[in-house]
Amino acid sequence: MNCVDFPRVMVSMAEGRTLPDVLRSVVSGIAACKNVVLARIWLVEMGDLCATCRFREECPDQSRCLHLVSSAGNSSDLNRDFTRIDGAFRRFPLGERKVGRVAASGQPMLLPGVRGDEEWIADREWFAHEGIRTFAAQPLVFRGETLGVLAIFDRAVLGPPDFEWLRIFADHAAVSIANANAFEEIEFLKQRLEEENIYLREEVSAVNGSGDIVGGSAVVRKILQQIDLVAPTDATVLITGESGTGKELVARAIHERSPRRDRPMVKVNCGAVPEPLFESEFFGHMKGAFTGAMRDKPGRFELANGGTLFLDEIGEVPLTMQAKLLRVLQEQEIERVGDTRTRKVNVRIIAATNRDLKQEVAAGRFRQDLFYRLSVFPIDNPPLRERSEDLPLLAEHFVKAAARRLNARAPKISAPMLRMLSSHSWPGNVRELQNVMERAVILSQGGPLQFENLGAAFGPSAATAPAENVPLLSPSGVVTRAEIKQREAQNISAALQQTAGKIFGPGGAAELLGMKPTTLASRIKALGIKAQKD
């Protein structure tokens, strides 16, 4: 094997920082040597093409095999492409055939003086056409571990000096491959740390001031008991409930009480991920896997490795993706888009939905096996209207949290105000209450708590409902200006009736309505509302 450029090729290998660059340097450097027909590298990786592998019947262990990762050569047939790695010999079982035995034993193999009619040759026609006289293979060994096999097919009869050169070259190649893998792992960990930092900053911003689960009702106590039961385990949890009931807060409480609390809880809003990007978002992608993939990027499963993955709105996952998601949940293995390497992950799954997944299964929109896999431990988060006794505690909690964020004094919540809050049905649940209380703190400007436009904020309620002859909406779907005035007048009249006509001071109608007393007096006059008398 006459090759005067071996030293230069070794330097080129050592300079490589990515595995494809190193592999390309190895095979192209050997292929540049005189009489070399083909140079190839197979690396030991997880079994993946067993159903189509030509050596499946010979494979003793389909969990691992040799993957063809790089190829180069010089063919007398100009139409032949020796750089392809997807041909018939793209996989070899460990311990089988010449290449497989070199990998399994760690021992090199030199077969000089090949005639071309030997039984072990799989493609005798090709051997004869290319005039191949030598097959040589060296194991790629790094720190006692066989990484793969470097094999060459040569038109010359190679001797011990050539084989020794190939041994030296293979040793340098193994070190370069190991270094490239190390650089890749370092880069991956760096990217993962960057992604985690970005994610955690977003999460801190999102949950700032939300506090722990607040409430003393029976349903809240039941939820807390369920959290304490399931948190120490790795069981998959499915949290159900209407939008705004605090399903993410329950998920975070489970994570914080689990052994995984020192690792991140990564959230995916399944309803916000475009269907074409689902696989990339969940499992990550490799550089160049698709247009716009400018660099390798870990997915949410990798970011959550060792921690918890919160799949919010799991019912929004497209049916086509549900099978892949189920496989990952069962096997705890992922493959990035554009990658052939399987990566192990250790992730605890908590899912949440506001849909009835049983109905979705019956309608054929959600896989039954995925539903059973997710609902190992179901927790139902009830709406706020079913835990109204918690409303005073929640309202006070949100007022104090908003005041802290605004660096303001927390206003007091009066008894009339609590009665008004209790009269509302809260279709937006706890999230709606939080928004209403924060807006009220902003409007108070350090004074008494007040609400702006109660009709818009609360909608019809026991205290503000219009008379039966005033429709909520006109037939056209809109409310006329006259109807708005009529509703406002009825609302103010109801407040005056509750406060026995008192407008100013504590317990007055102005405080009940969240308005300035002078503004309320002006509205009473403008709307022609008669004073209430005992």
Side-chain angles (χ1 to χ4, degrees), residues 2 44 100 125 149 154 179-180 206 245 252 261 264 320 389 403 437 463 530 532:
N2 186 9
V44 179
E125 182 180 349
V149 175
D154 202 290
N179 286 341
T245 54
R252 196 170 296 280
R261 56 184 170 272
T320 53
E389 59 266 48
M437 300 313 294
K530 295 181 179 179
Q532 302 289 324

Side-chain angles (χ1 to χ4, degrees), residues 486-501:
Q486 187 174 358
R487 290 185 192 180
E488 186 182 5
Q490 291 170 340
N491 189 49
I492 292 176
S493 296
L496 290 170
Q497 186 175 359
Q498 287 188 26
T499 59

Side-chain angles (χ1 to χ4, degrees), residues 396-476:
E396 183 179 3
H397 171 76
F398 290 136
V399 165
K400 290 181 178 178
R404 281 197 304 270
R405 287 196 297 274
L406 298 171
N407 196 25
R409 183 179 61 85
K412 297 292 184 182
I413 305 177
S414 65
M417 183 65 68
L418 285 176
R419 288 196 298 271
M420 176 172 287
L421 294 175
S422 299
S423 70
H424 184 49
S425 61
W426 300 105
N429 293 295
V430 178
R431 184 184 296 124
E432 180 186 1
L433 175 63
Q434 180 179 7
N435 293 340
V436 167
M437 300 313 294
E438 183 168 352
R439 184 166 61 248
V441 171
I442 295 172
L443 292 172
S444 71
Q445 296 182 348
L449 199 66
Q450 57 181 284
F451 294 95
E452 183 183 57
N453 194 354
L454 287 178
F458 290 104
S461 65
T464 63
E468 292 183 2
N469 62 342
V470 180
L472 290 176
L473 289 176
S474 68
S476 63

Side-chain angles (χ1 to χ4, degrees), residues 147-187:
L147 307 179
V149 175
L150 168 63
I152 67 167
F153 300 82
D154 202 290
R155 294 188 179 94
V157 177
L158 302 183
D162 300 306
F163 200 48
E164 181 61 26
W165 260 109
L166 188 63
R167 172 72 264 153
I168 296 172
F169 192 83
D171 288 340
H172 280 77
V175 172
S176 297
I177 289 171
N179 286 341
N181 285 332
F183 281 121
E184 184 181 84
E185 185 67 18
I186 291 170
E187 183 63 23

Side-chain angles (χ1 to χ4, degrees), residues 118-165:
E118 287 83 354
E119 291 185 3
W120 60 269
I121 298 176
D123 191 346
R124 298 177 186 178
E125 182 180 349
W126 176 71
F127 262 68
H129 178 73
E130 297 291 350
I132 295 172
R133 300 296 307 283
T134 298
F135 168 78
Q138 290 281 4
L140 297 168
V141 181
F142 179 74
R143 292 184 177 175
E145 178 186 359
T146 300
L147 307 179
V149 175
L150 168 63
I152 67 167
F153 300 82
D154 202 290
R155 294 188 179 94
V157 177
L158 302 183
D162 300 306
F163 200 48
E164 181 61 26
W165 260 109

Side-chain angles (χ1 to χ4, degrees), residues 75-312:
S75 175
S76 57
D77 184 358
L78 298 180
N79 294 322
R80 191 150 192 164
D81 181 11
F82 275 156
T83 63
R84 289 182 56 190
I85 59 174
D86 58 349
F89 302 100
R90 63 191 185 277
R91 299 290 184 269
F92 271 114
L94 293 173
E96 301 298 322
R97 302 292 176 122
K98 296 289 188 290
V99 173
R101 285 199 287 272
V102 170
S105 66
Q107 297 299 316
M109 183 177 295
L110 175 64
L111 300 175
V114 175
R115 299 186 308 273
D117 59 353
E118 287 83 354
E119 291 185 3
W120 60 269
I121 298 176
D123 191 346
R124 298 177 186 178
E125 182 180 349
W126 176 71
F127 262 68
H129 178 73
E130 297 291 350
I132 295 172
R133 300 296 307 283
T134 298
F135 168 78
Q138 290 281 4
L140 297 168
V141 181
F142 179 74
R143 292 184 177 175
E145 178 186 359
T146 300
L147 307 179
V149 175
L150 168 63
I152 67 167
F153 300 82
D154 202 290
R155 294 188 179 94
V157 177
L158 302 183
D162 300 306
F163 200 48
E164 181 61 26
W165 260 109
L166 188 63
R167 172 72 264 153
I168 296 172
F169 192 83
D171 288 340
H172 280 77
V175 172
S176 297
I177 289 171
N179 286 341
N181 285 332
F183 281 121
E184 184 181 84
E185 185 67 18
I186 291 170
E187 183 63 23
F188 162 71
L189 293 174
K190 178 183 176 183
Q191 292 174 8
R192 174 172 168 174
L193 184 59
E194 291 174 354
E195 295 286 341
E196 285 184 0
N197 285 339
I198 293 172
Y199 178 80
L200 290 173
R201 284 197 297 269
E202 292 173 351
E203 287 298 288
V204 168
S205 176
V207 303
N208 184 30
S210 63
D212 296 325
I213 297 175
V214 177
S217 62
V219 292
V220 170
R221 291 197 300 272
K222 179 181 177 181
I223 290 174
L224 292 174
Q225 290 172 354
Q226 289 176 308
I227 291 172
D228 289 337
L229 281 174
V230 76
T233 74
D234 274 340
T236 302
V237 180
L238 178 63
I239 307 170
T240 58
E242 298 177 7
S243 294
T245 54
K247 296 186 288 294
E248 183 178 349
L249 200 61
V250 174
R252 196 170 296 280
I254 294 172
H255 173 73
E256 291 299 329
R257 289 165 172 79
S258 77
R260 298 172 178 263
R261 56 184 170 272
D262 292 331
R263 296 294 300 156
M265 187 186 90
V266 176
K267 173 186 173 183
V268 182
N269 186 343
C270 301
V273 181
E275 185 170 350
L277 298 180
F278 254 92
E279 199 166 356
S280 172
E281 183 70 19
F282 276 72
F283 312 134
H285 63 254
M286 303 299 291
K287 179 180 178 181
F290 51 83
T291 303
M294 305 304 294
R295 62 184 179 91
D296 295 352
K297 181 180 179 181
R300 297 291 182 173
F301 271 90
E302 286 183 81
L303 291 176
N305 192 25
T308 302
L309 182 61
F310 177 50
L311 302 177
D312 198 11

